Amino acid sequence: MKKTIKNLGLNIYSKTLSNGMEVYLIPDKNSHNIYATYNVRYGGKDNDFVYEGKMITVPKGIAHFLEHKMFENEDGNEVFEFYSKSGANANANTSNIKTTYLFSGKNNFEENLEYLLSYVEKPYFTDENVEKEKGIIIEELEMHKDNPSSRIMEKCLYNAFVKHPYKYPVIGTVQSVKSITKEDLYKCYNTFYNPSNIFIVISGNIDVNKTFKIIEKHENKRNIKNKEIIRKEYKEVDKVAKEYEEIEMDIKYPRFGIAYKINIEDYPYDKDLFYKHIMNAIDLKFGTTSLFEEELRNKKIINDSIYYTGVKTDTHFIIVIGAETTNVKEAEKRIREEMTSLSINEEDFKRRIKLSIASTYEVLDSIYAMNSMVINQLMTRNEIDYDPIKTIKSFNLEEINKYLSKLDLSNTTMCVVRKDK
Amino acid sequence: MKYTKLSKEAYNLHFIYTNRFKKTRIRINFKEKLDEEKIVYRNMLSLVLMEATKKFNSRRLLEIECENLYDIDVGSGTNILGNYNILSFYTAFINEKYTEPKMTEKSLEFFLDFIFNPDIKDNKFNEDTFNVAKNKLHVDIEKFSDNPGRLADYNFRKLVAPNTPASIKAVGELKDLDTVTRSNLYEYYKYLINNDLIDIFVIGNINVLKLEKLLDKYFKNKSIKENSSHILIHKDKTKLVTKKDTKSINQSILYMGGKVFDLTDFERWYVLPIYNEILGGGPASKLFSEVREKNSLCYYATSYFMGVSSIEVITSSIDSKNCDKVVKLINIELDKMRKGDFTDADIKKAIISNTAFLEEMEDSPDSIMRMYQNYEYLHLDLKDRRIKLFNKVTKEDIVRVASKIEIDTIYLLEGSKRDEKND
């Protein structure tokens, strides 16, 4: 099926194969390069699921561990070796909700695509190669521990959530990584790496028909049945698990983050768009266009900007707001006073519409941005928005403000990183 | 894509015409011989000019206007390139056919105002914006050591190439910042506008004559001769220097390296990149395979060559208790390179990788701009010739440069927190 993103003139060809795998192709003849991603709807949050009829729990960090191990087959580290022969860049990444295997490169594209489809379907886990990977992943984990921003985010999520698996980092902990076995890995692989749980997105200088044929031919050869994946459901409460935590690091100025745990179950429309509206309202309150940020910066209460970031679950958004500061107490007090309600005024709203329109067009300048746009939309809404400008122009400020004003902003947890004593 | 260079007396205008991208990008570089004490002045200008213009006298108002101009991106920064300090201002804005008529003109004027119409009164920068910028730079200098990677890199450069531009801290020093005032910064600003070498790089689909007319309003005639960016190096070590510092962090960072002497241009810009691609260029390299995959000692182990300052660098993040083992493994791989213990297939892969990288640059406007900047400043070849010359690199070439690489410096920033239980 060919559909065009209105105004952008970007064509997307899609197909669902007989084994349930979805394929999205975005040809761009202006590009030199090709970018291919193989996306599994399986990530750091999927640690409790039904396997052979029973609900099981696997060690935290296993989705990321599995991603590492897929790069090894019977002949060793052959995947990187294979791609390097044609100058292609191969890599992979794991988030809370998905695992992506990717390569970019135009040389030997057809062969490279075949190889991607093949290596991800051939797990090869042994006691020895699983053990060997632990040292590498523990070094990756240690690297994150020396980053104060990562630590604040990690602690805020850990203390905000009570049951939801977003409580734990995608990479796991030293102990959980050490406890992973090859049997655990096979259980996860056999449950989640099912074609119906996978979608491929390829953008760049491709021949659409040829590319579809390669994928279809390959997938038709595989005799895999669709399997229902049953994940554990978590009933997350509105209260946070712990309200305050301090850690020490070797830094000059303290930093902090206040995490707001916001229940969004009552919002009746697209929750992903609602998240964007909330972030917009927060940016207008604390971002570089706000009087608030200007005042705190001029008074040297904060060193530079106020940052904000967040994560989404089906029932709650966690929004973390923080800064590097000379005075934690004062900065905290001022942010809390400001964060009692959220709304957007008409003038700001009109300006932000312009911003959204510009960023929509920006996607056209990069095959990576096109690919990410499709992945993100499929992961968050399960469908592609073929008229994004119309969506942006249809935002109703009154309706947005009605739901913003209903948000309960009283559940918070705070993490402060102080200088080592 | 078509490149034209217009050499005016006051500036060079490099125009890369293409209608491939939806945005137009402009970078204005002010280039001046590196003077350590002036680093903070240039860093201050990079900050203070972004804080306010005559028309919009606060960062907040500027940011609002950026949004009104369909999210125009405006930024600045400084970097040290060999013997030079470059202060850059850049912008990117979407073509007006996707937004509103006259947006290109408005965007250009808005961008140039940052540089040429600062918020000045009585020959001084505005007090509020000056103080905000000075405070920011003060904090940035103070917290330089917060980032372990940055600290280890700097400490290594000080050891491997002491008293050269390669060992200078690009953020500047507090003692120099203390001398900066609102009025002497404005004096320096005027000096910079009138004396620096100016190169303007434009990539996109705009009327360059209109841009030229606008620029001519601001630049007075002048004529300055350029010197080479390359740093002259000399031998200052006769034996291996090793140093260890300790910081309260979890992971230790290892740096090994040395200056490389007597290189031809071909060796510097073609053979050494191929050498490093094989040794520590990526997941198919020797270091990745040996230190990470076979021995599980790190997440990454890479090598690269700093072409302008002639320094070979190998780095990895490790557990300090494994340091000796990692150093030993790296030395074994260096030795293998000297003995030619690598295959023709390794060379072919490295050449293909470098070639593919150059081909892919065509998709990135920033990379294209960088290529022309290197062409201008370092006299590096352009894409097609680079590809041709990479393909001429032979095994003998690689073994010859490998024998010129001597590790004379080993530095470890040791993490003292590693064994604490902070899971």
Side-chain angles (χ1 to χ4, degrees):
Chain A
M1 183 175 63
K2 175 187 166 186
K3 277 186 106 173
T4 305
I5 298 191
K6 230 176 157 185
N7 296 91
L8 275 68
L10 192 66
N11 295 326
I12 300 181
Y13 296 78
S14 63
K15 209 176 246 192
T16 303
L17 309 184
S18 54
N19 64 12
M21 184 185 277
E22 295 162 47
V23 183
Y24 298 83
L25 304 182
I26 317 165
D28 178 17
K29 293 291 170 201
N30 286 326
S31 294
H32 171 86
N33 204 7
I34 301 172
Y35 180 48
T37 60
Y38 183 104
N39 307 282
V40 189
R41 290 185 172 96
Y42 165 58
K45 70 170 173 54
D46 299 314
N47 296 320
D48 305 294
F49 54 89
V50 172
Y51 179 74
E52 291 181 349
K54 243 172 66 188
M55 180 63 73
I56 62 162
T57 299
V58 288
K60 293 162 192 80
I62 196 163
H64 171 258
F65 199 110
L66 182 56
E67 171 232 295
H68 269 236
K69 285 318 312 160
M70 292 311 298
F71 281 80
E72 198 160 308
N73 55 26
E74 274 188 86
D75 302 317
N77 179 25
E78 206 201 37
V79 175
F80 289 126
E81 184 67 26
F82 175 85
Y83 282 106
S84 72
K85 282 182 203 155
S86 60
N89 290 309
N91 211 336
N93 56 65
T94 307
S95 73
N96 262 316
I97 53 173
K98 69 160 182 64
T99 309
T100 299
Y101 298 87
L102 59 94
F103 74 85
S104 67
K106 198 188 173 195
N107 301 335
N108 298 348
F109 168 70
E110 292 166 21
E111 211 185 319
N112 286 348
L113 177 59
E114 269 280 359
Y115 193 80
L116 172 69
L117 300 170
S118 313
Y119 87 78
V120 184
E121 69 191 41
K122 281 186 205 136
Y124 177 69
F125 312 135
T126 64
D127 289 333
E128 195 194 2
N129 77 20
V130 168
E131 213 45 46
K132 185 215 76 178
E133 204 64 32
K134 291 178 182 173
I136 298 169
I137 293 177
I138 287 168
E139 285 310 321
E140 187 180 357
L141 207 146
E142 294 292 338
M143 206 159 67
H144 295 300
K145 281 188 188 166
D146 290 325
N147 181 327
S149 306
S150 305
R151 293 295 297 279
I152 289 175
M153 193 64 190
E154 191 188 301
K155 288 286 179 198
C156 279
L157 293 179
Y158 185 80
N159 292 333
F161 286 113
V162 176
K163 287 183 178 164
H164 196 280
Y166 277 19
K167 190 173 174 68
Y168 304 100
V170 171
I171 196 169
T173 64
V174 172
Q175 273 138 356
S176 72
V177 167
K178 279 183 178 168
S179 73
I180 290 171
T181 65
K182 72 167 194 279
E183 288 77 21
D184 294 330
L185 291 167
Y186 277 118
K187 280 177 195 165
C188 294
Y189 183 87
N190 292 330
T191 304
F192 294 104
Y193 281 58
N194 187 289
S196 59
N197 197 36
I198 290 165
F199 63 95
I200 291 173
V201 186
I202 304 175
S203 49
N205 198 343
I206 48 166
D207 179 319
V208 170
N209 289 332
K210 252 189 190 172
T211 309
F212 268 135
K213 266 188 197 151
I214 294 168
I215 300 171
E216 272 184 304
K217 195 175 156 201
H218 182 95
E219 292 303 318
N220 286 343
K221 276 192 294 190
R222 297 172 73 197
N223 186 21
I224 294 197
K225 282 185 195 146
N226 275 348
K227 260 195 308 191
E228 194 193 359
I229 298 168
I230 304 169
R231 297 169 167 93
K232 186 175 171 179
E233 283 182 17
Y234 308 91
K235 179 76 193 132
E236 182 66 28
V237 294
D238 291 346
K239 289 265 174 255
V240 298
K242 187 178 174 184
E243 286 182 350
Y244 185 81
E245 185 162 354
E246 261 185 40
I247 46 178
E248 289 184 356
M249 289 182 79
D250 191 358
I251 53 169
K252 180 81 190 165
Y253 289 98
R255 296 170 201 207
F256 70 92
I258 306 171
Y260 289 81
K261 186 177 185 183
I262 307 168
N263 187 313
I264 43 91
E265 281 169 299
D266 287 344
Y267 187 71
Y269 314 117
D270 184 327
K271 291 194 166 64
D272 187 52
L273 283 180
F274 190 42
Y275 178 78
K276 284 181 185 155
H277 296 317
I278 293 180
M279 288 315 247
N280 224 339
I282 286 176
D283 183 67
L284 289 163
K285 218 180 239 302
F286 299 107
T288 47
T289 58
S290 71
L291 281 164
F292 181 81
E293 193 246 24
E294 184 175 79
E295 186 202 336
L296 263 61
R297 203 166 160 254
N298 287 347
K299 286 183 175 165
K300 296 187 187 174
I301 297 169
I302 56 170
N303 279 342
D304 193 19
S305 303
I306 294 171
Y307 75 85
Y308 51 88
T309 178
V311 297
K312 302 170 272 187
T313 73
D314 292 340
T315 56
H316 294 83
F317 291 161
I318 306 289
I319 313 284
V320 182
I321 304 168
E324 184 182 87
T325 177
T326 48
N327 186 340
V328 176
K329 274 210 163 136
E330 182 64 17
E332 179 200 353
K333 183 175 150 260
R334 294 296 309 272
I335 287 175
R336 285 190 189 277
E337 280 168 4
E338 199 68 16
M339 241 328 248
T340 47
S341 67
L342 287 172
S343 67
I344 302 174
N345 73 41
E346 190 149 3
E347 192 191 329
D348 289 339
F349 183 70
K350 278 186 184 157
R351 219 175 55 239
R352 289 300 161 107
I353 294 284
K354 284 184 172 185
L355 216 81
S356 302
I357 290 172
S359 69
T360 304
Y361 283 108
E362 215 175 314
V363 167
L364 295 174
D365 275 358
S366 153
I367 56 168
Y368 301 99
M370 293 171 196
N371 203 306
S372 301
M373 177 189 74
V374 170
I375 294 176
N376 289 337
Q377 292 196 8
L378 290 174
M379 288 309 301
T380 50
R381 319 146 61 102
N382 223 2
E383 61 179 0
I384 296 166
D385 183 355
Y386 285 97
D387 198 350
I389 304 288
K390 188 179 163 197
T391 305
I392 293 165
K393 288 185 174 167
S394 68
F395 293 156
N396 178 332
L397 181 60
E398 211 178 305
E399 192 74 358
I400 294 168
N401 277 333
K402 187 176 109 188
Y403 284 99
L404 284 177
S405 69
K406 285 183 181 171
L407 296 176
D408 176 4
L409 302 171
S410 63
N411 296 302
T412 66
T413 175
M414 182 177 183
C415 173
V416 180
V417 181
R418 296 203 188 271
K419 188 175 167 49
D420 262 350
K421 277 167 200 149
Chain B
M1 197 163 69
K2 192 179 162 214
Y3 169 72
T4 43
K5 178 178 172 181
L6 184 68
S7 296
K8 313 269 287 188
E9 286 195 6
Y11 61 91
N12 295 318
L13 180 61
H14 309 262
F15 181 46
I16 307 146
Y17 169 80
T18 169
N19 56 12
R20 158 88 196 277
F21 306 109
K22 306 292 171 278
K23 279 186 164 186
T24 296
R25 290 165 171 81
I26 303 173
R27 175 177 284 270
I28 303 186
N29 286 348
F30 291 82
K31 190 174 155 202
E32 159 88 340
K33 208 158 169 32
L34 186 63
D35 174 349
E36 229 177 313
E37 288 171 13
K38 289 289 178 272
I39 285 176
V40 286
Y41 283 78
R42 299 176 76 83
N43 288 341
M44 272 299 289
L45 285 179
S46 163
L47 293 172
V48 82
L49 294 175
M50 289 292 119
E51 286 291 328
T53 64
K54 202 107 211 131
K55 200 166 164 191
F56 301 98
N57 65 1
S58 75
R59 185 170 87 165
R60 184 175 65 83
L61 296 174
L62 283 166
E63 293 279 355
I64 290 172
E65 188 59 11
C66 283
E67 293 183 1
N68 280 325
L69 294 172
Y70 288 89
D71 204 17
I72 182 176
D73 186 14
V74 179
S76 65
T78 58
N79 78 301
I80 294 170
L81 182 73
N83 293 314
Y84 279 93
N85 184 309
I86 300 175
L87 168 59
S88 308
F89 298 92
Y90 47 86
T91 186
F93 51 87
I94 200 150
N95 291 358
E96 64 184 26
K97 74 169 178 180
Y98 301 106
T99 56
E100 290 175 40
K102 300 247 179 230
M103 271 295 145
T104 302
E105 207 176 315
K106 283 184 187 167
S107 301
L108 280 174
E109 276 174 18
F110 178 68
F111 170 57
L112 293 172
D113 269 358
F114 277 90
I115 309 168
F116 300 107
N117 287 316
D119 191 9
I120 302 293
K121 209 176 166 190
D122 303 327
N123 287 322
K124 287 175 185 169
F125 276 99
N126 172 303
E127 189 170 2
D128 290 342
T129 49
F130 175 86
N131 286 339
V132 166
K134 194 168 177 178
N135 183 51
K136 173 156 180 20
L137 187 54
H138 190 95
V139 169
D140 284 348
I141 297 172
E142 275 190 314
K143 66 178 193 189
F144 179 81
S145 305
D146 279 8
N147 181 323
R150 187 171 57 198
L151 178 66
D153 170 69
Y154 171 62
N155 287 345
F156 166 73
R157 284 187 286 112
K158 271 196 305 187
L159 275 184
V160 75
N163 309 314
T164 73
S167 66
I168 287 173
K169 200 193 273 180
V171 70
E173 301 287 349
L174 283 180
K175 66 173 174 42
D176 298 324
L177 183 62
D178 290 342
T179 68
V180 183
T181 65
R182 288 162 58 205
S183 51
N184 69 16
L185 186 64
Y186 182 57
E187 285 305 311
Y188 187 76
Y189 165 80
K190 286 191 290 187
Y191 169 85
L192 175 124
I193 296 285
N194 293 311
N195 292 281
D196 270 32
L197 288 162
I198 297 162
D199 284 281
I200 301 165
F201 296 87
V202 183
I203 181 164
N205 180 9
I206 61 165
N207 185 334
V208 77
L209 290 174
K210 272 192 186 168
L211 174 66
E212 196 190 331
K213 254 191 193 165
L214 264 175
L215 292 167
D216 283 343
K217 276 203 300 197
Y218 297 115
F219 290 112
K220 288 180 191 135
N221 283 347
K222 59 179 185 181
S223 175
I224 300 156
K225 284 229 162 122
E226 191 181 351
N227 295 317
S228 168
S229 297
H230 288 271
I231 298 170
L232 280 179
I233 54 166
H234 57 276
K235 214 167 173 75
D236 53 21
K237 292 187 194 72
T238 48
K239 59 177 186 180
L240 181 70
V241 174
T242 57
K243 192 178 176 210
K244 187 170 86 176
D245 291 318
T246 305
K247 186 173 166 67
S248 176
I249 47 177
N250 290 283
Q251 196 171 44
S252 304
I253 302 173
L254 171 71
Y255 269 86
M256 293 170 69
K259 282 181 278 191
V260 188
F261 296 92
D262 307 321
L263 290 171
T264 63
D265 275 354
F266 180 67
E267 287 174 332
R268 183 183 303 275
W269 300 119
Y270 296 95
V271 185
L272 269 155
I274 298 297
Y275 166 90
N276 278 306
E277 188 69 34
I278 298 171
L279 176 68
S285 71
K286 306 287 176 199
L287 293 179
F288 189 92
S289 164
E290 292 301 317
V291 187
R292 173 178 149 140
E293 290 300 316
K294 289 191 187 148
N295 289 281
S296 308
L297 292 167
C298 65
Y299 179 63
Y300 71 88
T302 53
S303 75
Y304 55 93
F305 181 64
M306 295 165 67
V308 180
S309 33
S310 304
I311 301 169
E312 172 68 17
V313 185
I314 296 157
T315 180
S316 183
S317 287
I318 56 171
D319 185 344
S320 63
K321 71 172 191 279
N322 297 323
C323 184
D324 290 346
K325 204 171 163 188
V326 174
V327 170
K328 200 175 158 195
L329 285 171
I330 291 171
N331 276 325
I332 290 172
E333 291 312 306
L334 285 164
D335 247 358
K336 283 188 188 166
M337 294 299 290
R338 287 183 197 110
K339 287 177 185 149
D341 188 1
F342 50 90
T343 63
D344 288 343
D346 288 332
I347 303 172
K348 199 174 162 201
K349 268 186 328 196
I351 291 173
I352 289 173
S353 166
N354 275 271
T355 307
F357 176 76
L358 286 165
E359 299 276 13
E360 283 160 27
M361 270 184 6
E362 276 182 24
D363 288 347
S364 157
D366 291 321
S367 299
I368 298 169
M369 203 185 253
R370 209 171 306 124
M371 178 175 74
Y372 282 102
Q373 194 173 288
N374 287 337
Y375 175 65
E376 182 67 25
Y377 292 157
L378 302 172
H379 309 299
L380 270 187
D381 298 312
L382 294 176
K383 190 191 91 184
D384 290 346
R385 189 167 159 75
R386 280 184 76 71
I387 290 175
K388 202 171 146 195
L389 290 176
F390 271 130
N391 277 288
K392 289 202 157 118
V393 175
T394 63
K395 186 163 188 173
E396 291 69 39
D397 293 330
I398 299 167
V399 171
R400 193 176 59 249
V401 295
S403 68
K404 292 182 184 182
I405 293 170
E406 211 180 302
I407 299 300
D408 63 19
T409 307
I410 300 177
Y411 175 76
L412 183 74
L413 182 63
E414 187 182 39
S416 61
K417 255 187 175 174
R418 177 71 180 217
D419 293 318
E420 285 177 26
K421 199 170 176 298
N422 54 3
D423 207 8

